[in-house]
Amino acid sequence: MSEKLNSKQLSKKITDEYMEDAFRAHENGKLIGYSTAISPVELFVAHDIVPIYPENHAVANLTAKKGAQLCSITENLGYTSHLCAYARSDLAYRESGITVTKGIPEPDLFLACNAQCFTLTKWFQVLARKGNLPVFVFDTPEYIMNKKAREEIVKYCVLQLKELIGFLEEVTKKRFDYDRLKEVMKYSAQSSILYKKFLDMAQYKPSPISIFDALIGMAIAVYRRGTPECVEYYQTLCDEIQEKVDQGIGVLPKEKEKYRLYWENLPVWFKFSDHAKLLGSYGGVILTSLYVHAWSFEFDLDKDPLVTLAENYVSRFSNSTIEDRVDMAMGYFKKYSMNGMIMFMNRSCKAVSFAVPTLKDILVKRTGIPALVFESDMGDQRFYAESQVRTRIEAYFETLDRLQADKPAA
Amino acid sequence: MWEDLSLKQIPEYAKDPYPSIRKWIKEKGKKAVGSTIADVPEEIIYAFDFLPVSLIGTDKPLKKAPSRLPDNACSLARSNLELALSYEGDLFDGFVLPQVCDTTQHLSDIWRISFPGKYVESYLAPRQVDRPSARYWVKEEIERLIASLSNWSGKSINDKALNDAIAITNENKRLLQEMYEIKKKNPGTITNKQFFSMVKLAMQVDKAEFNKTLKNIKASLKPKKGKNYTDVILVGITCDPPEVYDIFDEAKLNVIGDTLVTGSRYLQGIAPQNGNPVEALTERHMKNGFFSPIHDNVYKHFEEVKALYKATGAKAIIYVHIEFCESQEYDLPDLKKMIRQEGMPMHILDTEYQTVSLSHLRTRLQAFFESLKGGSL
Ligand code: SF4
Ligand code: SF4
């Protein structure tokens, strides 16, 4: 028997196999379905459609600092510079073939769930026009704070999931297997619990993980949920982190971990490791964001699978009211004992960012913790002003230091 | 207040309807409920005896809104928020706000939090229209809005009240359609600005009163064909600031068809008067024309524009782009390509609610038509 792989090796293996399967999909009689990162992809998995997430591919290119180059190609096609950098880099990839990966296979169909944003619907429409391909929009009305309305929203979503099944049956000319869905849901539920457990390890002091670990760790949850290998991966990851906890190993050593920070929004992908280092030099470690928690689903396997899918997808942070988002964040502030917050206004992501100023005001009020707000772009370096961000971060930590010095000793 | 306006007065009232709304509310002792575009069924608000007012931005300076919505949000969303935060907020007892695009995704939350003393309800119409669930959901949302308004106001409405509201709104739209026909055939009679101001004002004031104005104007019109007009199709969501129409009028363009939410898309929204008002409003919603943030057949917009262009014999298409409107911006490059491939000339106007000087728009538009005609207009 081969030696047990560690989480990093396992992640690579799962990803390689997944991409190989995707590139061979047609040979194996399978279709490629492009999907939003937040979408009931369990239905794809159960129906043997290979899900591909153009957002993930975009992340790889943006992290490798290809954003500005790709985005300007798209702008030359007539698109404006303030559209989401995922979309802009993807449209440029289609045009130029430029990518730091092996690329992604071409789509046969699309599933856009607007619990995340509506940008993806429009972006997928652009891609669909190229090949006259079908797009299914899973429309998730905002999960407003009204019990009765929520019940109705879930009903509407269940109705749409049934339509989605019909759509998949029609496109593939194959009957949908509900038993298979139950099986897939079981894996999805298990891996979600483990993924959440992994994220929640940020509550330990010192924290064994930072948000940067979470961002790397979330990839498998995004593209392989609903499979046994996804469960295996998170079990391995949790075991590894638990070992760190047992040995008291933190991202920063315990005596250096001064500021446990909340991050709002997606990361600045191309500054990912720079930010970790910079913050670390001030004794800061970002522990979490609502974004990474977007894949910690709580599926109830006792319910009709379509109902629990609808309830989970419609209630993601990005589809919840600002008040609910505040409550979610407050929960993490308490649980992870955070004492600082960085609120990123991401030009790319209007869906998430336009709530940020309001969210920030309420969070500052409720926690009594000052916030660092900065505006930039998650992927397009042309909107990132290095010295400005550094100065802001420096000033922020000075403020936190001052506040801490002013605090009466316990 | 609005029953006896002259054609000349209409653009003034439409440019700033709020002083008249303020006065009217005071006189009538009624409440105003504002909503942003698009598709909030105003008949329901009307049936509750509130004044439904469509908020369609302002060109007044932005003061408070930028701290809530950054500068990459469209000026329609920002200026509507400003309108309520700084200028006319006290006029409204409540708001019903739709969720359509990424910019509006959390807008009703921002409004609710910004106006804690007011009634703020979301209207969550489906953002897909090609499946049966869409129809089911429109009906649910209509019923929820009725229940919500009833809960807030302590009143209830019966089918008759709603049917009456539908009848008045439909009459209004029919009168406006008739005006449009007169204007199209006789551009010397009603200017573009006057006509589109009529539509805008109709979306903001008491329709029973405004219908009287429309009838009076219609009766007194002396159709004038006018000379040297160039027929054009106007495409987009809104067309603001209103001075843009002055440019069209100066250039003797005759808007002979349009797809605006503050134009034909609104006028075509006549609900069937079949006795069942909720069904009628649902039916109306499902028949609405293209609106970029809502998923539909991806070629529908192009087909609509092409059909209009062909049917009217227009000479060109003017696309009104609202800066930072991402839904338009995902459509535009392909739409442009398809339209050009069909040999239909198209000019894109980049607009912004806070624009004060329109000279660059005028110059570009003139250049376009000159090149089109191979000479001056
Ligand atoms: S970054 Fe925001 S706008 Fe872009 S695809 Fe993701 S959720 Fe949508
Ligand atoms: S659809 Fe466009 S114009 Fe309307 S609110 Fe959204 S971004 Fe603004």
Side-chain angles (χ1 to χ4, degrees):
Chain A
M1 204 170 142
S2 64
E3 210 177 298
K4 197 171 174 333
L5 302 179
N6 66 28
S7 65
K8 204 169 164 194
Q9 293 163 328
L10 204 50
S11 166
K12 184 170 179 327
K13 180 173 174 272
I14 294 170
T15 307
D16 288 349
E17 283 171 3
Y18 156 60
M19 284 317 289
E20 192 165 323
D21 185 37
F23 277 111
R24 295 223 167 134
H26 285 183
E27 270 171 51
N28 297 329
K30 293 182 189 172
L31 294 182
I32 299 283
Y34 275 16
S35 169
T36 45
I38 296 175
S39 76
V41 75
E42 286 77 5
L43 299 186
F44 270 16
V45 179
H47 203 57
D48 261 341
I49 288 176
V50 182
I52 288 287
Y53 305 86
E55 291 158 84
N56 282 356
H57 179 233
V59 166
N61 284 319
L62 299 182
T63 307
K65 302 191 168 57
K66 287 275 171 205
Q69 182 193 3
L70 288 167
C71 290
S72 31
I73 294 174
T74 298
E75 286 152 32
N76 287 335
L77 297 172
Y79 293 91
T80 50
S81 65
H82 44 84
L83 299 177
C84 167
Y86 286 169
R88 279 182 295 146
S89 66
D90 181 71
L91 297 177
Y93 156 69
R94 315 271 154 197
E95 183 70 15
S96 65
I98 296 173
T99 172
V100 296
T101 72
K102 290 182 189 143
I104 48 175
E106 291 297 310
D108 297 303
L109 59 123
F110 298 86
L111 167 61
C113 166
N114 52 26
Q116 181 178 341
C117 68
F118 132 93
T119 281
L120 271 145
T121 304
K122 298 304 286 183
W123 165 12
F124 283 0
Q125 284 177 348
V126 175
L127 298 181
R129 273 197 290 272
K130 290 184 196 294
N132 228 341
L133 300 169
V135 183
F136 187 98
V137 171
F138 177 42
D139 176 36
T140 48
E142 188 183 19
Y143 207 42
I144 53 175
M145 299 174 297
N146 171 321
K147 193 167 171 278
K148 188 153 179 294
R150 285 186 171 184
E151 286 167 10
E152 296 302 333
I153 289 169
V154 169
K155 261 194 222 160
Y156 168 49
C157 290
V158 169
L159 211 59
Q160 290 182 82
L161 290 176
K162 288 183 183 155
E163 287 173 335
L164 174 56
I165 289 171
F167 167 83
L168 296 180
E169 287 182 330
E170 201 182 307
V171 176
T172 58
K173 308 275 177 276
K174 202 174 88 182
R175 271 196 84 76
F176 189 82
D177 182 344
Y178 282 88
D179 290 334
R180 179 87 198 282
L181 177 62
K182 280 195 184 144
E183 182 86 3
V184 168
M185 290 299 299
K186 208 175 71 201
Y187 294 131
S188 223
Q190 282 173 2
S191 68
S192 294
I193 291 169
L194 289 166
Y195 175 61
K196 191 168 170 21
K197 186 174 165 196
F198 156 65
L199 294 179
D200 281 348
M201 296 215 186
Q203 66 189 287
Y204 293 109
K205 287 184 180 172
S207 173
I209 58 163
S210 75
I211 195 168
F212 304 104
D213 302 300
L215 289 164
I216 295 167
M218 80 183 210
I220 302 294
V222 174
Y223 53 73
R224 286 322 275 152
R225 63 184 181 279
T227 66
E229 55 269 31
C230 186
V231 181
E232 189 193 347
Y233 171 74
Y234 285 106
Q235 187 59 63
T236 309
L237 188 61
C238 284
D239 293 346
E240 282 172 13
I241 308 295
Q242 186 60 51
E243 254 177 59
K244 286 194 180 178
V245 174
D246 296 342
Q247 295 169 29
I249 300 172
V251 177
L252 294 178
K254 191 165 187 184
E255 65 287 1
K256 291 224 168 113
E257 192 196 76
K258 258 167 94 183
Y259 299 114
R260 298 167 61 84
L261 309 165
Y262 171 82
W263 175 275
E264 174 58 40
N265 220 312
L266 284 75
V268 182
W269 291 107
F270 56 92
K271 280 283 154 189
F272 199 85
S273 52
D274 289 3
H275 280 161
K277 277 189 218 129
L278 181 64
L279 297 169
S281 69
Y282 291 99
V285 49
I286 305 175
L287 299 185
T288 203
S289 69
L290 292 182
Y291 171 67
V292 292
H293 277 275
W295 290 270
S296 44
F297 301 100
E298 289 174 11
F299 294 117
D300 182 345
L301 296 178
D302 292 333
K303 286 189 176 169
D304 174 340
L306 299 187
V307 172
T308 188
L309 278 169
E311 285 172 345
N312 269 276
Y313 283 99
V314 82
S315 58
R316 295 302 88 195
F317 84 100
S318 44
N319 202 44
S320 300
T321 62
I322 293 179
E323 291 94 327
D324 278 337
R325 231 159 114 178
V326 168
D327 286 345
M328 291 175 195
M330 284 302 293
Y332 297 122
F333 268 95
K334 272 200 200 112
K335 194 167 185 180
Y336 300 176
S337 325
M338 291 187 283
N339 54 1
M341 60 179 113
I342 303 184
M343 311 295 285
F344 169 37
M345 291 285 289
N346 176 4
R347 288 187 75 85
S348 265
C349 189
K350 298 180 180 189
V352 170
S353 300
F354 286 175
V356 171
T358 309
L359 186 74
K360 181 217 93 187
D361 285 355
I362 307 177
L363 277 178
V364 167
K365 214 175 186 174
R366 281 186 52 185
T367 58
I369 299 169
L372 164 63
V373 185
F374 81 98
E375 192 178 316
S376 180
D377 192 88
M378 65 181 185
D380 187 338
Q381 303 100 300
R382 293 169 300 172
F383 293 105
Y384 187 83
E386 179 75 44
S387 58
Q388 210 180 50
V389 174
R390 275 183 178 270
T391 319
R392 303 285 298 274
I393 290 180
E394 221 166 89
Y396 183 62
F397 281 109
E398 273 168 23
T399 311
L400 290 184
D401 281 344
R402 219 178 25 249
L403 285 174
Q404 202 149 71
D406 291 350
K407 244 194 214 162
Chain B
M1 180 72 58
W2 302 295
E3 63 263 83
D4 198 19
L5 302 181
S6 69
L7 187 54
K8 271 216 177 97
Q9 281 176 303
I10 285 180
E12 276 166 49
Y13 273 76
K15 168 114 181 131
D16 188 4
Y18 300 104
S20 64
I21 295 175
R22 190 175 295 279
K23 217 166 144 207
W24 187 85
I25 291 179
K26 209 166 165 208
E27 274 172 28
K28 306 276 171 188
K30 290 201 188 188
K31 289 179 177 167
V33 174
S35 50
T36 52
I37 54 174
D39 300 336
V40 172
E42 55 184 346
E43 293 87 345
I44 296 175
I45 298 171
Y46 200 85
F48 274 94
D49 207 21
F50 304 133
L51 178 69
V53 181
S54 290
L55 301 170
I56 318 173
T58 174
D59 56 6
K60 290 185 180 154
L62 299 184
K63 297 187 283 189
K64 296 182 181 158
S67 71
R68 301 286 112 211
L69 278 176
D71 60 7
N72 59 330
C74 75
S75 55
L76 176 56
R78 288 178 112 205
S79 73
N80 268 336
L81 183 59
E82 190 67 58
L83 191 76
L85 283 174
S86 299
Y87 300 108
E88 313 292 350
D90 61 310
L91 251 179
F92 296 95
D93 283 86
F95 302 103
V96 178
L97 305 168
Q99 174 195 30
V100 287
C101 59
D102 281 353
T103 299
T104 46
Q105 175 107 341
H106 294 289
L107 220 52
S108 57
D109 303 342
I110 295 175
W111 284 61
R112 185 174 54 248
I113 294 165
S114 302
F115 302 102
K118 296 188 195 288
Y119 166 76
V120 179
E121 182 58 275
S122 310
Y123 181 67
L124 305 166
R127 289 161 293 174
Q128 52 94 11
V129 286
D130 53 357
R131 304 190 306 264
S133 60
R135 196 192 171 88
Y136 162 84
W137 186 243
V138 177
K139 191 163 174 251
E140 285 292 327
E141 274 302 274
I142 288 173
E143 283 167 351
R144 189 174 68 81
L145 179 61
I146 295 174
S148 166
L149 281 164
S150 172
N151 190 29
W152 170 56
S153 63
K155 295 187 215 168
S156 55
I157 51 165
N158 54 23
D159 280 3
K160 183 179 176 310
L162 199 44
N163 278 325
D164 289 349
I166 290 175
I168 289 171
T169 309
N170 284 354
E171 186 188 9
N172 180 259
K173 289 180 180 177
R174 282 196 192 99
L175 285 164
L176 288 166
Q177 285 178 354
E178 287 166 23
M179 292 287 194
Y180 203 3
E181 288 311 309
I182 297 172
K183 176 226 173 297
K184 287 181 200 171
K185 291 190 193 106
N186 307 281
T189 322
I190 306 176
T191 65
N192 294 302
K193 189 174 187 183
Q194 285 166 341
F195 174 70
F196 285 97
S197 295
M198 268 180 212
V199 180
K200 213 167 168 186
L201 197 57
M203 295 170 84
Q204 303 185 299
V205 301
D206 182 71
K207 289 176 184 52
E209 287 194 9
F210 194 52
N211 285 349
K212 291 184 191 154
T213 282
L214 293 175
K215 282 181 200 156
N216 290 342
I217 293 177
K218 204 180 133 215
S220 65
L221 282 179
K222 296 194 183 64
K224 262 193 288 182
K225 270 239 166 301
K227 272 190 202 144
N228 302 325
Y229 279 90
T230 307
D231 292 343
V232 296
I233 304 292
L234 205 53
V235 176
I237 297 175
T238 61
C239 180
D240 275 309
E243 288 72 23
V244 172
Y245 289 109
D246 288 331
I247 302 181
F248 297 164
D249 289 329
E250 282 162 27
K252 289 206 137 185
L253 302 181
N254 178 27
V255 177
I256 195 164
D258 76 281
T259 65
L260 299 183
V261 173
T262 49
S264 287
R265 190 177 178 278
Y266 176 71
L267 301 188
Q268 283 154 4
I270 289 186
Q273 281 167 269
N274 54 11
N276 183 336
V278 171
E279 279 297 336
L281 294 175
T282 307
E283 179 71 20
R284 186 262 306 276
H285 184 97
M286 297 310 295
K287 289 204 169 132
N288 273 334
F290 176 86
F291 179 36
S292 183
I294 293 167
H295 175 69
D296 203 343
N297 169 356
V298 282
Y299 296 105
K300 186 169 167 185
H301 194 28
F302 167 67
E303 294 299 340
E304 259 182 34
V305 175
K306 186 169 124 186
L308 255 181
Y309 179 83
K310 299 255 145 103
T312 58
K315 294 284 175 294
I317 293 159
I318 297 178
Y319 186 99
V320 189
H321 164 231
I322 302 172
E323 302 251 27
F324 295 105
C325 171
E326 72 272 6
S327 52
Q328 287 190 316
E329 288 165 5
Y330 278 106
D331 291 344
L332 249 176
D334 280 350
L335 184 69
K336 209 154 104 182
K337 217 185 297 161
M338 289 187 270
I339 285 181
R340 298 231 159 112
Q341 267 165 10
E342 281 290 319
M344 305 187 276
M346 174 158 95
H347 179 66
I348 298 170
L349 276 186
D350 295 311
T351 62
E352 219 260 333
Y353 275 77
Q354 268 61 48
T355 308
V356 272
S357 162
L358 296 173
S359 55
H360 64 290
L361 287 189
R362 179 181 289 111
T363 315
R364 289 193 52 230
L365 189 85
Q366 278 168 349
F368 168 75
F369 281 98
E370 271 160 28
S371 70
L372 194 66
K373 288 190 159 186
S376 69
L377 279 171

